[in-house]
Amino acid sequence: MSSHSDDSGDDDETTSPTDKSELHCTIKDLSLKLDDLGTCNDLIAKHGAALQRSLSELEGLKIPYESSEKLKAVNERATLFRITSNAMINACRDFLELAETHSRKWQRALQYEQEQRIHLEETIEQLAKQHNSLERAFRSAPGRASNPTKSFSEGDFLTPKGEDSEEDEDTEYFDAMEDSTSFITVITEAKEDRKAEGGTTGSVEWTSTDNVLDNTSLVPKGPPKVKRRVRIPDKPNYSLNLWSIMKNCIGRELSKIPMPVNFNEPLSMLQRLTEDLEYHHLLDKAVHCTSSVEQMCLVAAFSVSSYSTTVHRIAKPFNPMLGETFELDRLDDMGLRSLCEQVSHHPPSAAHHVFSKHGWSLWQEITISSKFRGKYLSIMPLGAIHLEFQASGNHYVWRKSTSTVHNIIVGKLWIDQTGDIEIVNHKTKDQCQLKFLPYSYFSKEVHRKVSGVVSDSQGKAQYVLSGSWDEQMECAKIVQSSPSSPSSDGKQKTVYQTLPAKLLWKKYPLPENAENMYYFSELALTLNEHEEGVAPTDSRLRPDQRLMEKGHWDEANTEKQRLEEKQRASRRRRLEACARGCGSEDEKETDVYMPLWFEKRVDPHTGEMACIYKGGYWEAKERQDWHMCPNIF
């Protein structure tokens, strides 16, 4: 790590003695060179004097007049040469004295700048701590309403005054979506006579005691048949100069930058994709919905829940090797089987297929596009996610939002999710528009806020969704909609009149000591646990990832370099084999790799080429026949 020095002068204060010693060494070298120049000057003076004496003796001889004039000219030039050399030596001595004088000023200025930078970092960290403390104090203030919906309303709270209508007193109002999703909420309790009017069919019964998460009969939570681990070795406290590595990477594709494991967490991208299934019970419950718009609410909550594990997870997952796989065979306790395979290396692309015994299937091919922009890192997952319920035939499609890691260079790292997600049911044409609001220091909104509207096939809004991607999501049944008064800018919005919101999803608490275990969730802790019978290409068997998990980071870095070189050699062999068998020049430059468990097909819903599971993996596992798997580790 000491080799990653910072050439730009942004090192911390521990580098100050080094800079000082280097400066003294430079001055010492200059002094030695000046002594050498002095020695040369003495030689020049000695030999110059001898030359002048010789020339004077020649002038005393009886020689022709023209020769005498030439000797005088040579004597004058020799005198001028000696004077010039003396002046050069004096100028060098003056330069050295000035360098010694100003070096002390430069050293003091450099030390002052370093102290100011450290003070600024400490101040920013202190402000962040105070900000978090104020936020927690605000949320736990005794004057705040206990209704959780209130914490998710945007803008000011409006209290109806002078309203004689009982209809208005028992109703929440949401400002409708326009370019940005903004809701103004009035929180009131529903009366018993509202139950019938707001009642809905299906698994979500709209009563005053309803809570979707309390309905656990659909997914029994008995003791698991296999005991899973609940902790991993604590993360070592290794320091690393981030800027010394990242300063040459601005604007480059992150997947093409060789990174030490110090920036990673001991999970691969395939395992991170599998983490999206942590709240699979939302889909298990959605199977029993008879109303497609209610089912859409649960699907939307599931799509948001996949971001809940990222709030503290600012480390980079391992980039999978080409052909690497990861299976999650949890039919006994989770009721599902999941398989991921890395189907492309540049750009990095992973295919994923999930089968649930409760009656749904999910598949996706995600290509990660990431750019380092100097102050922040943008991560853009490209590709569609498909979810199909076998009984109803409802087929949902959506895409992920953009993740941004801030304060890459200075300050505390933090992650934000931004952008819009559109979920479409291609059978019924129901839609859900979700908006992830970006964080703003001056905004009055709740941090990490998500809001949205579920509409039926006719485009009529049926439900309002609100919450935050790191805590919970709620939905509220829309009873009536009406236009609002024009705003100051002349725009007119729609006001949604709704029943009180109901909880759809709430994040599980993190395990004890999670801050020392990379902030892994309960599911994440089990993903890299060693299992018998998996394919030899499984991420659990990747040696550098395993070494990092055990805390042997130096060995992990060495192993990571070996694996990457092995992968490059495999690619060269494929290109050479293709060059021998291909005709055109374009074909010769193409890295032809065929995935083992997935195949390229045209997606009928999106019209894009995507990798779809072609079968055979679980049968091969049952036979323990892995002869077709490549040797990638």
Side-chain angles (χ1 to χ4, degrees), residues 102-116:
H102 288 285
S103 67
R104 289 188 287 271
K105 295 181 182 179
W106 295 335
Q107 187 63 38
R108 287 195 297 269
L110 178 62
Q111 185 175 358
Y112 175 77
E113 291 296 330
Q114 289 172 342
E115 291 173 354
Q116 289 296 107

Side-chain angles (χ1 to χ4, degrees), residues 269-523:
M269 190 62 204
L270 304 181
Q271 292 164 315
R272 284 294 292 267
L273 270 181
T274 307
E275 273 193 79
D276 290 357
L277 303 173
E278 181 152 14
Y279 299 95
H280 61 92
H281 68 273
L282 293 171
L283 302 183
D284 297 339
K285 294 174 184 177
V287 171
H288 299 269
C289 289
T290 56
S291 168
S292 61
V293 289
E294 290 176 8
Q295 190 177 71
M296 176 70 84
C297 291
L298 289 168
V299 172
F302 173 79
S303 70
V304 174
S305 70
S306 63
Y307 299 99
S308 63
T309 62
T310 66
V311 62
H312 300 296
R313 303 271 290 279
I314 46 86
K316 174 181 177 288
F318 277 79
N319 208 22
M321 312 297 291
L322 188 60
E324 185 174 332
T325 60
F326 179 75
E327 67 159 69
L328 188 70
D329 193 355
R330 302 282 287 271
L331 279 174
D332 292 339
D333 54 342
M334 296 174 65
L336 57 83
R337 273 179 162 176
S338 167
L339 175 66
C340 292
E341 181 181 3
Q342 188 76 0
V343 296
S344 173
H345 187 63
H346 285 305
S349 180
H352 185 202
H353 182 268
V354 187
F355 164 77
S356 172
K357 67 180 183 182
H358 295 291
W360 56 268
S361 297
L362 182 146
W363 62 94
Q364 59 181 322
E365 181 186 353
I366 298 296
T367 300
I368 301 297
S369 176
S370 53
K371 289 288 186 180
F372 176 55
R373 303 295 187 182
K375 292 183 179 180
Y376 62 91
L377 173 69
S378 295
I379 303 170
M380 296 150 285
L382 308 176
I385 304 171
H386 295 257
L387 172 66
E388 186 175 63
F389 293 94
Q390 278 81 32
S392 63
N394 290 333
H395 188 119
Y396 298 87
V397 179
W398 71 94
R399 299 173 189 271
K400 287 180 173 288
S401 66
T402 298
S403 302
T404 307
V405 182
H406 296 270
N407 291 347
I408 292 292
I409 305 304
V410 178
K412 184 179 179 182
L413 291 172
W414 60 280
I415 193 167
D416 197 15
Q417 310 291 344
T418 56
D420 299 337
I421 292 181
E422 181 184 55
I423 307 175
V424 178
N425 184 341
H426 283 272
K427 180 183 178 183
T428 63
K429 307 305 178 184
D430 298 336
Q431 290 189 0
C432 174
Q433 301 286 341
L434 290 173
K435 187 172 187 65
F436 290 70
L437 299 184
Y439 170 79
S440 173
Y441 182 80
F442 301 101
S443 174
K444 296 184 293 184
E445 308 297 346
V446 175
H447 297 171
R448 310 181 185 98
K449 182 176 176 64
V450 183
S451 52
V453 170
V454 175
S455 305
D456 59 20
S457 57
Q458 283 75 40
K460 182 179 179 181
Q462 296 290 335
Y463 286 93
V464 166
L465 302 176
S466 62
S468 63
W469 54 263
D470 68 323
E471 286 187 5
Q472 64 184 44
M473 285 296 292
E474 299 172 322
C475 66
K477 174 68 176 175
I478 296 174
V479 178
Q480 185 179 345
S481 62
S482 59
S484 66
S485 301
S487 59
S488 58
D489 57 2
K491 293 182 178 180
Q492 191 176 38
K493 299 183 179 181
T494 304
V495 176
Y496 292 133
Q497 180 179 330
T498 74
L499 296 174
K502 298 300 178 182
L503 189 64
L504 287 173
W505 158 76
K506 188 175 180 64
K507 180 185 176 182
Y508 298 143
L510 288 175
E512 185 180 357
N513 195 40
E515 64 276 7
N516 295 321
M517 298 187 295
Y518 309 90
Y519 286 98
F520 281 178
S521 65
E522 183 178 331
L523 175 63

Side-chain angles (χ1 to χ4, degrees), residues 163-213:
E163 298 287 340
D164 296 329
S165 171
E166 195 174 282
E167 176 88 359
D168 293 336
E169 292 179 359
D170 294 334
T171 311
E172 301 178 41
Y173 293 88
F174 291 90
D175 194 10
M177 292 176 56
E178 290 191 349
D179 293 338
S180 62
T181 307
S182 59
F183 300 131
I184 300 175
T185 328
V186 179
I187 310 300
T188 54
E189 294 296 328
K191 294 188 176 181
E192 293 300 318
D193 57 2
R194 175 63 66 193
K195 296 178 187 177
E197 184 178 344
T200 57
T201 60
S203 64
V204 183
E205 293 297 325
W206 222 263
T207 65
S208 59
T209 59
D210 176 63
N211 187 323
V212 177
L213 288 182

Side-chain angles (χ1 to χ4, degrees), residues 34 37 84-98:
L34 185 61
L37 286 172
T84 304
S85 66
N86 287 334
M88 183 187 68
I89 294 297
N90 292 332
C92 290
R93 185 176 287 106
D94 293 340
F95 171 77
L96 180 61
E97 291 175 356
L98 283 173

